[in-house]
Amino acid sequence: MKEKFTDIMNMLSYTNIVNASFILLAAGLTLFHIFTATFGMFQSYLQMTIHLSFILFLVFISALKKENQDTAKQYLIIFWIILVSVSIGYIFFNFEYISVERYPFLYDLTKIEIIFAVIFVIVLLEAARRTVGLILPGICVLLMLYGLFGYYAPGILKHSGKTIHTILDLAYLSTNGTFGLPLYVSASYLVLFVIFGAVLKESGLGDFLMDVAKCLGGKKPGGPAKIAVLASAGMGSISGSPVANVMTTGTLTIPLMVKVGYKPYTAGAIEAVASTGGMITPPIMGILALLMSEFTGIPYITICKYALLPAILFYFGVFMYVHFEAKRLNLKGLSQSDIPDLKNTLKNGMHLLLPIIVLMYLLLKQYTPMYAVVYSIYSCIIVSFFRKKTRLKLRGIINIFQAGAEASLMLGIACAVAGLIGGIINHTGVALKLSGSIVDLVGGISMLLLLMTAGITVIMGTGLPSTVCYIVLLPLVIPALKAIGFSEVASHFFVVYWAALSFITPPVGLAFYAASAISNASVMKTGIYCVRVGAVAFVVPFLFAYCPSLLFIGTPSLIILTFISSIIGVFFLSIGFTGFWLEKLYLHERIICLGCSLMLIKPGLYTDIIGGIAITIVIICQIYRRRNRGKSKVVFSENRELL
């Protein structure tokens, strides 16, 4: 009897109760979104409120899991949970009045609404601090103060100033702020793509892609690095998170790369760059593509088409860099015992690709992303039962709930805060003023505007999630890009691309921070090497900005010629950065390769001719030196025999 009582008390321990609460809420979040995607969403304001409620409760219960030894912090977090209940509870109890009878900004907030609004803002900012860091809530607070006291701001930043009622209305009750478009997108289908990624991963698709990558590139020189590129291209697209991809595939590929001879910081950089590319790689891509679809009105499947050629150039450049670096260092591949059988791998795992095929088919048939992804989730669950090894069990379902919820926390909170930031920017009118000033500042020089946009995006991306970075810059730089002559597609895609590249851009890049932790290498060395490995990635955005044919905009012949020219240019750009092709390149040959590759990457008759001639000279020199080296070896061998 005493033993049974002890077992019951252990089950009712603090840790178990908190874990069970998190799992139950995670299951509630997952099932709520699958249910509404299948049978129809609630009224948009209610849908967002329920979604954000789940997210906020999960954020603080997740914090309770971490603070299981500190009683004072536990009580503080419980206090935060009570504040969430109070502030969100008011919306639920007065939902009809708020969503139907009340007119935002025309009706001043009541005293009780002001109190609840202040509580809500404090809770939201605290949740943002815990999930995203200090920078995002800091920016939000500054903009709220700017909204209140903008009449003191200098120059073009000056505005008439907004009342406390307007700012709190944006934050709490209006659908133009916190409960705006970014949160609506998160509450409708963004979270479903996160859940889809969790289901795919739990069903074994990640292991399947890793095994296929081993079969295709494992035996080649520098095999583990090529495995990292191939596997991360697939997994990065599914997860949509470079950091998550580094922490999954990187734990396998980085030690393998170091084992065959890569330096730790090189191995970390290769994995970080390869993982980041998944955010702009079809067919699933990342959250950024879904947001771009919502803000532009362009169908998601069309955005996937736009992204295809830039993604191919990205990974072709990384793969070629890895290949030539392996040749330069004379690195070997994996042994045969470490490589699985391709036939058996395909036989046991090909069925896991069916959900992705279902997703693409439904998107091509012009179904909504929400409809397409929820039925792809169903198909993934079904096909997982085709093989015993991939069959989802109870533990696997719980893992899906947890992984989906954990990945949704930062996304949901970031979208809520980004909506508030965007609402303040739009209400103050500062976006139009700054956009016009940017155009005047660059004096009509398009390249200068692109460089400025890239710099701003990277700087903001160092402290903000890429989704927030894109949403905040949306009203600021994209109108400027369009005003100077760039197409809407190219303008949005340019910002989306650089928001993704902020993960591998020194001094702060979350992807190479994660990779350096696995490889035990210097963070800054890893970051600097990311620039070398991903050199092509930093060129591609400028390329499609000036050559929309790389986004499948233009005649078929122009698209083909542009792509061929770009592929050749990327090939020799990789040679220039590694300093090796058939033989080690002299310094002047590297300079020629780097300069002329850029000429080939940028389509144009004269640039292609000049670049082609110069590259041909390098090719002849390489072939000539290699033949002479071979002859000298033969002569040396014959002399030894004579002696």
Side-chain angles (χ1 to χ4, degrees):
M1 187 72 179
K2 186 177 179 180
E3 291 179 356
K4 287 184 178 180
F5 178 77
T6 304
D7 292 339
I8 292 171
M9 292 305 295
N10 287 335
M11 289 176 63
L12 295 176
S13 67
Y14 169 83
T15 304
N16 287 340
I17 290 173
V18 171
N19 289 337
S21 300
F22 185 87
I23 292 170
L24 287 173
L25 277 172
L29 174 70
T30 304
L31 296 175
F32 166 73
H33 284 290
I34 291 176
F35 176 84
T36 54
T38 305
F39 298 104
M41 284 175 51
F42 296 154
Q43 191 263 3
S44 60
Y45 193 84
L46 180 59
Q47 180 85 11
M48 288 187 284
T49 304
I50 296 173
H51 171 72
L52 187 58
S53 300
F54 273 118
I55 295 292
L56 287 171
F57 280 119
L58 282 166
V59 166
F60 291 109
I61 290 177
S62 177
L64 274 179
K65 291 169 63 178
K66 298 175 183 176
E67 304 293 352
N68 59 355
Q69 302 297 327
D70 193 319
T71 305
K73 289 184 178 179
Q74 290 172 14
Y75 284 125
L76 178 60
I77 294 168
I78 291 171
F79 177 69
W80 284 114
I81 293 173
I82 293 171
L83 292 182
V84 172
S85 305
V86 168
S87 57
I88 291 290
Y90 179 83
I91 296 176
F92 281 119
F93 282 117
N94 298 276
F95 178 75
E96 186 175 349
Y97 163 72
I98 293 170
S99 62
V100 178
E101 299 175 14
R102 182 181 182 276
Y103 288 92
F105 310 117
L106 293 180
Y107 290 21
D108 282 345
L109 300 180
T110 63
K111 290 182 179 179
I112 191 69
E113 285 173 344
I114 290 176
I115 293 171
F116 285 133
V118 170
I119 292 172
F120 177 80
V121 169
I122 294 171
V123 165
L124 183 63
L125 294 176
E126 173 63 14
R129 184 190 70 82
R130 290 178 180 273
T131 55
V132 183
L134 285 170
I135 294 179
L136 180 59
I139 291 173
C140 187
V141 169
L142 288 175
L143 280 172
M144 291 176 74
L145 293 173
Y146 171 70
L148 289 172
F149 305 108
Y151 44 81
Y152 291 119
I156 62 169
L157 296 178
K158 187 173 183 178
H159 66 87
S160 59
K162 303 297 177 181
T163 66
I164 187 69
H165 290 274
T166 300
I167 299 299
L168 291 178
D169 208 336
L170 282 169
Y172 188 46
L173 300 180
S174 167
T175 54
N176 294 322
T178 302
F179 293 92
L181 181 60
L183 185 60
Y184 175 76
V185 176
S186 174
S188 56
Y189 59 84
L190 285 190
V191 68
L192 287 169
F193 275 85
V194 172
I195 295 168
F196 182 44
V199 176
L200 285 174
K201 181 182 175 183
E202 192 62 34
S203 66
L205 181 61
D207 295 334
F208 170 70
L209 292 174
M210 180 64 74
D211 287 342
V212 170
K214 286 181 180 179
C215 295
L216 295 177
K219 293 181 183 179
K220 308 297 182 183
K226 292 172 181 175
I227 292 170
V229 174
L230 295 172
S232 296
M235 281 302 297
S237 176
I238 292 167
S239 70
S241 170
V243 177
N245 195 33
V246 168
M247 298 307 292
T248 51
T249 60
T251 54
L252 299 174
T253 58
I254 290 174
L256 282 176
M257 283 188 267
V258 174
K259 182 179 178 181
V260 298
Y262 284 99
K263 293 180 179 178
Y265 59 83
T266 306
I270 291 170
E271 178 58 44
V273 173
S275 296
T276 299
M279 293 189 73
I280 44 89
T281 302
I284 298 179
M285 302 179 68
I287 304 303
L288 286 170
L290 295 164
L291 285 171
M292 180 178 169
S293 174
E294 194 66 36
F295 283 117
T296 61
I298 300 170
Y300 175 68
I301 193 66
T302 306
I303 290 177
C304 289
K305 181 186 76 171
Y306 292 150
L308 180 60
L309 295 185
I312 291 173
L313 290 175
F314 179 100
Y315 276 106
F316 179 74
V318 176
F319 193 89
M320 285 295 100
Y321 182 93
V322 164
H323 174 74
F324 291 125
E325 184 73 358
K327 297 284 283 184
R328 183 179 72 85
L329 299 173
N330 195 28
L331 302 179
K332 306 300 180 184
L334 295 177
S335 63
Q336 185 61 46
S337 60
D338 294 327
I339 299 175
D341 180 69
L342 180 60
K343 185 177 179 180
N344 288 333
T345 299
L346 295 176
K347 179 182 176 181
N348 294 325
M350 277 291 288
H351 63 288
L352 296 173
L353 296 176
L354 286 174
I356 297 176
I357 296 171
V358 170
L359 177 69
M360 298 309 300
Y361 173 79
L362 292 175
L363 289 172
L364 286 169
K365 287 293 183 179
Q366 302 297 312
Y367 288 97
T368 64
M370 184 170 65
Y371 181 93
V373 72
V374 75
Y375 281 95
S376 299
I377 291 172
Y378 290 145
S379 67
C380 189
I381 294 171
I382 292 169
V383 300
S384 71
F385 285 88
F386 288 3
R387 293 282 188 276
K388 185 177 180 180
K389 184 179 179 182
T390 61
R391 198 168 297 157
L392 289 176
K393 300 179 178 64
L394 179 60
R395 181 70 256 177
I397 294 171
I398 292 174
N399 288 341
I400 290 170
F401 291 154
Q402 288 184 303
E406 287 169 357
S408 300
L409 297 186
M410 187 177 76
L411 174 65
I413 295 296
C415 285
V417 179
L420 177 54
I421 290 172
I424 295 171
I425 289 173
N426 289 328
H427 268 67
T428 56
V430 71
L432 291 175
K433 294 178 183 178
L434 288 178
S435 182
S437 298
I438 290 172
V439 174
D440 294 337
L441 182 64
V442 299
I445 303 173
S446 58
M447 177 55 75
L448 185 59
L449 178 58
L450 290 178
L451 289 170
M452 182 182 294
T453 301
I456 292 171
T457 309
V458 167
I459 291 169
M460 291 193 68
T462 59
L464 298 176
S466 54
T467 49
V468 179
C469 183
Y470 171 58
I471 293 168
V472 171
L473 290 177
L474 193 66
L476 298 178
V477 299
I478 289 178
L481 289 169
K482 291 165 65 176
I484 210 166
F486 294 107
S487 68
E488 182 176 27
V489 173
S491 300
H492 279 268
F493 223 90
F494 189 86
V495 177
V496 163
Y497 214 101
W498 278 100
L501 292 182
S502 64
F503 279 91
I504 55 169
T505 307
V508 181
L510 296 181
F512 69 75
Y513 269 61
S516 63
I518 297 172
S519 63
N520 293 318
S522 164
V523 172
M524 288 316 300
K525 272 190 175 182
T526 306
I528 292 168
Y529 219 81
C530 279
V531 177
R532 290 186 62 183
V533 176
V536 174
F538 297 96
V539 175
V540 168
F542 296 94
L543 180 56
F544 63 65
Y546 284 110
C547 305
S549 51
L550 280 178
L551 300 175
F552 281 104
I553 299 173
T555 62
S557 58
L558 178 61
I559 293 169
I560 293 170
L561 287 174
T562 303
F563 182 63
I564 292 173
S565 174
S566 300
I567 280 287
I568 296 171
V570 167
F571 180 82
F572 284 101
L573 186 68
S574 302
I575 291 173
F577 269 100
T578 55
F580 189 91
W581 184 29
L582 302 175
E583 296 285 325
K584 185 177 179 181
L585 270 67
Y586 295 134
L587 179 60
H588 68 276
E589 291 176 327
R590 294 185 70 172
I591 294 172
I592 291 172
C593 280
L594 290 172
C596 294
S597 63
L598 295 177
M599 291 185 180
L600 290 168
I601 287 175
K602 184 183 184 304
L605 179 61
Y606 296 113
T607 55
D608 285 356
I609 290 173
I610 295 171
I613 291 172
I615 290 295
T616 302
I617 294 172
V618 174
I619 292 172
I620 292 171
C621 291
Q622 283 275 295
I623 294 173
Y624 177 77
R625 285 210 306 278
R626 186 173 190 180
R627 285 182 176 177
N628 281 349
R629 185 169 64 85
K631 289 179 181 179
S632 65
K633 284 183 178 180
V634 171
V635 171
F636 180 73
S637 178
E638 289 175 351
N639 288 339
R640 286 187 64 184
E641 288 179 5
L642 289 172
L643 291 172

